[in-house]
């Protein structure tokens, strides 16, 4: 990046009042946008145990899943925001570029590493069906059977490519519905009262189309890792958006057709199928998962199961995890969609904390190796997007959900492994999530994230059991006053203990490193 452009980006960050990313030691060129406290003297271990702090004990010897990615979806915002090349408040930065950096840049944004691109069914071109919002229609690349116009969906493709340029390492191509020309009613929505909209005779053509699209973008350098042909099959999908219902007994046939076609394409040899993308962890999800993992052919292919975390409480997740451990312990889990299903816009810590609690629960109860927020950008009206946009003025407003998500995605890097943590005070858990790994500078780290949902500040004594000796500490906070700000950084004598203050209604990331 040229110096002039870098200064423009810094100006943009200041305009947004984004006090984030990087303590002085890590980002000296952004000192004006960070908050740094004077180093504090850390008490001895005995003092922490004796005062009123809540002792949190990290156990590096207890190991769990290895993280693969944090991400988000391009539905349905990318197909219009991707065309917003207007200057953002005279900063010299395009609006779409500013949004892309906030989402995917590893130094100036929250560093998401997975992007879900929607392979549309063509309702945008046909105008068929009942859609609550015309932006929920999606393009297809077909102009005639297996004849393609790759200039279609150009705005969404811009975001797909820019996300990869900014550091996304894993792309998922997913379908809400098969192509309209392949469906029984000729639409990307199911006829009300029907339980299917795809004739088995069309399974092969459906697979051919999606993998033609996949192959095209792989050849252009897009790192597609998963193809997901079915999305939330248990719902009716007769209005609102593109969608297709499938009974559990039908999905194996679809996936077999995709696997056959995938196996015939050497350029796609590193791609896996994902699914069944059930909308919840409870309900009849086990029936859909069993349809894949009990199939003699498909069971040899699936190394992971992708599901969504909507309407799923802790008990339903624990139940599903027990079932997986008993029946398919070798298969990893991925939480591929979630947003808070609540009406009304919210930019405050309330929805940020709720997002963080669900994320932490999925990481610790389900041991998911990937977690995806649904829709990165939205026009408001729901607690969904990480960033709200004004579609008339082509402006945007980052929410606290963005920064709270960044407390995880920015610092828990792909390849880091979750380790154990416990509290010595019952009822004061702070939903801790702790990972360890070696960063790109070959520095060993422990990354711990805590949620303080109360209206009072809390003191914790962070104790590391049997092992890791750190020399440096960096603390990042998202709260009413801070957006992923670095609020403390210092170098310490090697030790296994530190005292930390958690601001009221905050999400706090503690990075302990040994240099």
């Amino acid at each position: 990046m040229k110096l002039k452009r870098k200064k423009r980006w810094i100006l943009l960050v200041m305009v947004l009042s984004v006090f984030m990313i990087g303590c002085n030691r890590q980002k000296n060129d952004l000192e004006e946008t960070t908050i740094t406290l004077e180093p504090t003297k850390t008490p001895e271990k005995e003092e922490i145990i004796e005062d009123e702090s809540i002792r949190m004990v990290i156990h590096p010897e207890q190991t769990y899943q290895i993280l693969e990615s944090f991400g988000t979806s391009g539905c349905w915002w990318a197909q219009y925001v991707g065309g917003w090349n207007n200057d953002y408040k005279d900063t010299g930065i395009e609006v779409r570029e500013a949004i892309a950096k906030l989402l995917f840049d590893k130094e100036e944004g929250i560093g998401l590493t997975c992007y879900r691109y929607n392979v549309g069914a063509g309702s945008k071109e046909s105008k068929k069906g009942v859609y609550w919002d015309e932006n929920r229609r999606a393009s297809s690349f077909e102009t005639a059977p297996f004849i393609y116009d790759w200039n279609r969906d150009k705005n969404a493709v811009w975001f797909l490519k820019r996300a990869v340029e900014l550091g996304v390492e894993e792309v998922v191509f997913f379908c809400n519905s098969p192509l309209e020309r392949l469906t029984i009613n000729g639409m990307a929505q199911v006829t009300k009262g029907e339980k299917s909209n795809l004739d088995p005779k069309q399974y092969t053509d459906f697979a051919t189309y999606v993998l033609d699209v996949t192959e095209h973008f792989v050849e252009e350098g897009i790192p597609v890792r998963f193809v997901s042909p079915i999305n939330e099959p248990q719902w009716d999908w007769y209005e609102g958006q593109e969608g297709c219902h499938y009974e559990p007994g039908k999905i194996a046939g679809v996936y077999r057709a995709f696997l056959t076609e995938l196996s015939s394409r050497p350029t796609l040899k590193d791609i896996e199928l994902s699914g069944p993308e059930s909308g919840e962890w409870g309900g009849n999800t086990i029936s859909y998962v069993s349809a894949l993992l009990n199939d003699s052919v498909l069971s040899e292919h699936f190394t992971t199961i992708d599901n969504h975390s909507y309407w799923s409480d802790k008990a339903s997740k624990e139940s599903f995890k027990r079932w997986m451990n008993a029946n398919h312990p070798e298969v990893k889990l991925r939480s591929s969609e979630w947003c808070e299903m609540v009406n009304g816009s919210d930019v405050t810590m309330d929805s940020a904390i709720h997002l963080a609690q669900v994320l932490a629960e999925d990481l610790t109860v389900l041991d998911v190796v990937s977690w995806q927020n649904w829709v990165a950008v939205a026009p408001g009206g729901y607690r969904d997007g990480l960033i709200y946009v004004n579609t008339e003025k082509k402006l945007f407003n980052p929410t606290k959900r963005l920064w709270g998500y960044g407390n995880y995605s920015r610092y828990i890097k792909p390849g880091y492994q979750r380790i154990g943590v416990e509290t010595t005070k019952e009822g004061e858990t702070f939903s801790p999530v702790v990972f360890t790994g070696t960063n790109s500078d070959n520095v060993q780290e422990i990354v711990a994230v805590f949620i303080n949902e109360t209206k009072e500040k809390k003191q914790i004594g962070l104790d590391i059991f049997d092992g890791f000796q750190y020399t440096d500490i960096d603390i990042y906070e998202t709260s009413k006053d801070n957006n992923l700000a670095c609020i403390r950084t210092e170098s310490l004598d090697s030790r296994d203990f530190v005292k930390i203050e958690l601001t009221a209604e905050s999400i706090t990331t503690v990075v302990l490193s040994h240099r």
Side-chain angles (χ1 to χ4, degrees), residues 20-32 34-37 39 107 410-411 439 441 443-446 470-476 486-493 509-515:
M20 63 167 288
I21 309 298
C23 296
N24 289 346
R25 178 173 63 247
Q26 298 169 308
K27 287 291 291 178
N28 291 327
D29 56 335
L30 286 181
E31 287 180 355
E32 61 207 302
T34 62
I35 298 176
T36 304
L37 299 183
E107 293 184 356
R410 181 67 175 81
Y411 304 104
N439 66 21
D441 295 324
V443 174
Q444 186 182 4
E445 296 181 329
I446 282 181
Y470 63 90
T471 59
D472 296 274
I473 181 171
D474 299 301
I475 301 180
Y476 305 87
C486 179
I487 61 168
R488 177 179 171 187
T489 179
E490 58 184 302
S491 296
L492 304 167
D493 295 332
T509 302
V510 179
V511 181
L512 302 171
S513 57
H514 184 76
R515 300 174 187 275

Side-chain angles (χ1 to χ4, degrees), residues 492-511:
L492 304 167
D493 295 332
S494 185
R495 63 189 69 191
D496 60 359
F497 159 80
V498 68
K499 183 175 180 179
I500 297 163
E501 182 175 283
L502 304 179
T503 301
E505 298 182 305
S506 67
I507 306 167
T508 302
T509 302
V510 179
V511 181

